[in-house]
Amino acid sequence: MVSEYKKAGVDLNKLKEYHALASNTFQNSGVLKIGHYANAIKLGDKYLAMHVDGVGTKTILALKTGIIEPTGIDCIAMNVNDLVCVGARPIAGVDYLALEKPMDDVVEKVMRGLKQGADEANIEIIGGETAIMPGVITGYDLSCSIFGLSDKLKTGEDVAPGDIVLGLKSNGVHSNGYSLIRKIIDEGKLSLKDWGEDLMRPTRIYSSSVIPILDKIKALAHITGGAFSKLKRITNYRINLKMPDPPQVFKAIENAGVPHFEMYKVFNMGIGMIIFVSKDLKDDIIEFLSKKETVYELGYVEKGEGIKITTYKNEILYI
Amino acid sequence: MVSEYKKAGVDLNKLKEYHALASNTFQNSGVLKIGHYANAIKLGDKYLAMHVDGVGTKTILALKTGIIEPTGIDCIAMNVNDLVCVGARPIAGVDYLALEKPMDDVVEKVMRGLKQGADEANIEIIGGETAIMPGVITGYDLSCSIFGLSDKLKTGEDVAPGDIVLGLKSNGVHSNGYSLIRKIIDEGKLSLKDWGEDLMRPTRIYSSSVIPILDKIKALAHITGGAFSKLKRITNYRINLKMPDPPQVFKAIENAGVPHFEMYKVFNMGIGMIIFVSKDLKDDIIEFLSKKETVYELGYVEKGEGIKITTYKNEILYI
């Protein structure tokens, strides 16, 4: 069965294949392939982790709705959220803004969004490139590359049966799945007028919330492209999750014709960050995180394999 | 007078304006704004400099000619050459490849080019993002972000009257001015059949040649977008240059209708890297660099202001 996402032009298996190709091509002795989210190299007595990510085709909706600034925040969020997942504290980065043509308004708003995101994530943007590329870019493309430092990298190897899985509430769709969303908007199945504001809400920046207790957390997973299927990168043990009722925007997307199970492979379904903690630290961590985040206790790790998701419709999905 | 480059859709003044906007938006106390090529932050007792750059619309010609791999090398070169200009030794980086659709052949060749460039520059590619972005990207866009370390940053402040200006031979057009080149190809004024191979030659990687003597060099300038006008970033003293006869490809571009003086503001004209050295070290440095590079003694720094270029046609251009 061809997924709706693939019909929209995004083939997740193809991307996986490309990532594997890149990984095989660049294998070098000095690089710590943590295998998910960001890699790192040893620098003195610390690890320097580096990540690059863009905001995808969300920029098309940004131009359509005129809501541009959030994409700047998205770009920072996509990177800093991934960096904390490997146990790194984000320090500084650069942005890459590629434009179809001079667009003063877009540039100004993107920069303002990047600055707001950088302030929120407590990082510095130390450089960037703004390129005008007629013939390659339609509208604009935005990506950032950010590095972080770590004393001890998180690889997921600490995760064990009995651990508790927490979820931090998302802001909405964040920054993934927009090719699919655009397809159903273009098909007239989702109203941009009704859902534009929801769809353009920026990715929540979780890094500042988790950094103070990073040492107490066993593993983290930023729910982006591939959504919950990426939890496999954390551990081979069975992860058992009961997902909460998602925000309305996800139901609207699903009602537009995306199969129920595919929703959990493409979208965050209301959970932007997954956190693995030991049972004895659970209460303290929930209490701390609840000061700034909405925290769900989603489930636990147990013996066995694969991810078992009980969806909001109480259907069971195995990934 | 509207320049040919602007007619091709690239307004250099507009880009300058955007860079200034970015610089003003992101000003932060911890960042060392070296003001050219790359910025840096203090990290322990060292400086970490970070740079981001892409290969621009050269990708369009790559797809047209089928000569893809060099764009991977370009992407590394554009970054490591800029990093050494601030006195940093390039260490590692990430790539960002945005595709219109799955293109196995392109991805494989780009990765191979990136790997070749990384090996030549002695850096590690520790991560990357391959994104499929229908509706935003036509063909492919490639950028890299690389960081380097430095004990002492080069700001150009050491440059003084009496210093000698050397030039390292370029490989051809390198990675700038391709929107203009494409315009004259589309207008039928330059034959892609005759010049395709020349136009697709990758940017020369100079970093490995200069790193062993980086301490002895006062300042460096990577000749990319804006070409020789960027030398103003190095020093306010008068720079007096006599340019050599450029490779044929530049003459072909000029003959296609680009004004003689504009050539020196858009293209490297056969010189990919400019190096400022003190008179007493000149001979040693030329001898060392000549092992791997073709070195020109182009001129000198003197009292006064601005850049004075004697072109290959013996015309005088003041920038």
Side-chain angles (χ1 to χ4, degrees):
Chain A
M1 201 188 70
V2 176
S3 72
E4 289 302 307
Y5 205 22
K6 190 170 177 183
K7 284 185 207 159
V10 181
D11 181 347
L12 288 173
N13 287 327
K14 190 50 98 176
L15 287 177
K16 225 184 268 177
E17 192 185 295
Y18 288 163
H19 291 161
L21 174 67
S23 183
N24 288 334
T25 308
F26 302 136
Q27 51 183 311
N28 273 309
S29 53
V31 182
L32 298 158
K33 292 270 175 199
I34 309 171
H36 64 124
Y37 303 112
N39 290 313
I41 57 168
K42 192 104 200 224
L43 209 67
D45 58 346
K46 286 192 188 301
Y47 299 97
L48 185 144
M50 198 170 177
H51 189 65
V52 55
D53 215 337
V55 302
T57 57
K58 190 171 180 175
T59 58
I60 298 175
L61 282 197
L63 290 173
K64 261 192 191 157
T65 56
I67 307 172
I68 311 284
E69 280 182 53
T71 58
I73 302 173
D74 283 317
C75 199
I76 301 294
M78 294 299 286
N79 282 281
V80 296
N81 288 348
D82 272 16
L83 281 169
V84 292
C85 288
V86 301
R89 189 168 55 90
I91 304 285
V94 291
D95 70 285
Y96 174 70
L97 173 60
L99 303 164
E100 173 187 354
K101 54 177 188 249
M103 298 190 280
D104 296 4
D105 184 55
V106 168
V107 175
E108 207 188 306
K109 286 177 175 162
V110 165
M111 295 297 163
R112 217 184 294 150
L114 286 169
K115 170 69 175 156
Q116 195 185 321
D119 285 349
E120 216 176 300
N122 198 22
I123 64 155
E124 311 259 17
I125 297 175
I126 60 174
E129 167 72 356
T130 304
I132 296 173
M133 300 176 60
V136 175
I137 304 293
T138 302
Y140 71 100
D141 183 29
L142 177 64
S143 64
C144 286
S145 172
I146 299 178
F147 77 89
L149 294 175
S150 172
D151 294 318
K152 185 178 179 302
L153 296 170
K154 287 191 193 298
T155 60
E157 63 182 359
D158 294 345
V159 174
D163 286 343
I164 302 298
V165 183
L166 307 177
L168 304 185
K169 195 183 176 185
S170 72
N171 246 359
V173 181
H174 285 181
S175 195
N176 278 97
Y178 281 83
S179 290
L180 176 49
I181 289 169
R182 201 158 43 94
K183 176 173 170 281
I184 58 181
I185 289 173
D186 290 348
E187 289 170 356
K189 294 173 183 166
L190 188 74
S191 155
L192 191 57
K193 198 169 149 281
D194 293 347
W195 295 103
E197 226 170 287
D198 275 275
L199 292 171
M200 287 313 300
R201 210 169 293 134
T203 306
R204 186 160 175 83
I205 291 173
Y206 300 105
S207 54
S208 341
S209 294
V210 298
I211 282 174
I213 51 163
L214 207 49
D215 288 349
K216 295 191 174 110
I217 293 172
K218 286 195 168 191
L220 305 90
H222 183 209
I223 305 303
T224 60
F228 296 92
S229 59
K230 276 198 182 160
L231 291 178
K232 280 187 185 168
R233 294 182 180 183
I234 299 285
T235 181
N236 288 324
Y237 287 117
R238 157 74 52 94
I239 302 171
N240 202 325
L241 304 178
K242 168 85 183 76
M243 294 294 292
D245 202 42
Q248 290 304 318
V249 64
F250 295 102
K251 291 182 181 173
I253 294 169
E254 188 174 347
N255 289 338
V258 180
H260 185 57
F261 283 165
E262 189 177 344
M263 291 297 295
Y264 287 86
K265 294 176 187 168
V266 178
F267 297 106
N268 68 60
M269 297 306 278
I271 302 294
M273 182 74 91
I274 294 269
I275 295 177
F276 295 80
V277 300
S278 65
K279 214 169 187 168
D280 56 320
L281 290 179
K282 183 192 80 168
D283 291 336
D284 286 353
I285 287 174
I286 291 177
E287 193 190 330
F288 180 85
L289 288 174
S290 296
K291 287 179 203 160
K292 284 178 67 186
E293 307 290 340
T294 303
V295 187
Y296 298 89
E297 188 171 335
L298 296 178
Y300 49 87
V301 179
E302 59 183 336
K303 280 186 182 162
E305 280 184 355
I307 301 155
K308 180 186 172 190
I309 292 177
T310 307
T311 71
Y312 79 95
K313 285 184 177 171
N314 271 320
E315 295 183 24
I316 309 283
L317 163 66
Y318 290 96
I319 301 180
Chain B
M1 203 186 69
V2 176
S3 73
E4 289 302 308
Y5 205 21
K6 191 170 176 182
K7 284 184 208 159
V10 181
D11 182 345
L12 288 174
N13 286 327
K14 190 50 96 176
L15 286 177
K16 225 183 271 177
E17 192 186 295
Y18 289 164
H19 291 160
L21 173 68
S23 184
N24 288 334
T25 308
F26 302 135
Q27 51 183 312
N28 274 310
S29 53
V31 183
L32 298 158
K33 292 271 174 198
I34 309 171
H36 63 125
Y37 303 114
N39 291 313
I41 57 167
K42 193 104 198 223
L43 210 67
D45 58 347
K46 285 193 189 301
Y47 299 97
L48 184 144
M50 198 172 179
H51 189 65
V52 54
D53 215 337
V55 302
T57 57
K58 189 171 180 176
T59 59
I60 299 176
L61 282 196
L63 290 172
K64 261 193 190 157
T65 57
I67 308 173
I68 311 284
E69 280 182 55
T71 58
I73 302 174
D74 283 315
C75 200
I76 301 293
M78 293 300 284
N79 282 281
V80 295
N81 288 348
D82 272 16
L83 280 169
V84 292
C85 288
V86 301
R89 189 168 56 89
I91 305 285
V94 292
D95 70 284
Y96 174 72
L97 174 60
L99 302 164
E100 174 187 353
K101 53 177 189 250
M103 298 190 280
D104 296 4
D105 184 55
V106 168
V107 175
E108 205 188 308
K109 286 177 175 164
V110 164
M111 296 298 164
R112 218 184 295 148
L114 286 169
K115 170 71 174 154
Q116 196 184 321
D119 285 349
E120 216 176 299
N122 198 23
I123 63 156
E124 311 260 17
I125 297 176
I126 60 175
E129 167 71 357
T130 303
I132 296 174
M133 299 176 59
V136 175
I137 303 293
T138 302
Y140 71 101
D141 183 30
L142 177 63
S143 64
C144 286
S145 172
I146 299 178
F147 78 87
L149 294 174
S150 171
D151 295 317
K152 186 179 178 303
L153 296 169
K154 288 190 194 297
T155 61
E157 63 181 1
D158 294 346
V159 174
D163 286 343
I164 302 298
V165 183
L166 307 177
L168 304 185
K169 195 183 177 184
S170 74
N171 246 2
V173 180
H174 285 180
S175 196
N176 278 98
Y178 281 83
S179 290
L180 176 51
I181 289 168
R182 201 160 43 95
K183 177 174 168 280
I184 59 181
I185 288 172
D186 289 348
E187 290 171 355
K189 294 174 183 165
L190 189 75
S191 156
L192 190 57
K193 197 168 149 281
D194 293 348
W195 295 103
E197 226 170 286
D198 274 276
L199 291 172
M200 287 314 300
R201 210 168 292 133
T203 306
R204 186 160 177 83
I205 291 173
Y206 300 104
S207 54
S208 341
S209 295
V210 299
I211 282 173
I213 51 163
L214 207 49
D215 288 348
K216 295 192 174 112
I217 292 172
K218 287 195 167 191
L220 305 90
H222 183 208
I223 305 302
T224 58
F228 296 92
S229 59
K230 276 198 182 161
L231 291 178
K232 279 186 184 168
R233 294 182 179 184
I234 300 284
T235 182
N236 288 324
Y237 287 117
R238 157 72 55 93
I239 301 171
N240 202 325
L241 304 178
K242 168 85 183 77
M243 294 294 292
D245 202 43
Q248 289 305 317
V249 65
F250 294 102
K251 291 182 181 174
I253 293 168
E254 187 173 347
N255 290 338
V258 180
H260 184 55
F261 283 165
E262 189 176 344
M263 291 298 295
Y264 288 86
K265 293 175 188 170
V266 177
F267 297 106
N268 69 59
M269 298 305 279
I271 303 294
M273 183 75 91
I274 294 270
I275 295 177
F276 295 81
V277 300
S278 65
K279 214 168 187 167
D280 57 321
L281 291 178
K282 182 191 81 168
D283 292 336
D284 287 354
I285 287 175
I286 290 177
E287 193 189 329
F288 180 85
L289 288 174
S290 297
K291 285 179 203 158
K292 284 179 67 186
E293 307 290 342
T294 303
V295 187
Y296 299 90
E297 187 172 335
L298 296 178
Y300 49 87
V301 179
E302 59 183 337
K303 282 187 179 160
E305 280 184 355
I307 301 156
K308 180 185 173 189
I309 291 177
T310 305
T311 71
Y312 79 94
K313 285 184 178 172
N314 271 319
E315 294 182 25
I316 309 284
L317 163 65
Y318 289 96
I319 301 180

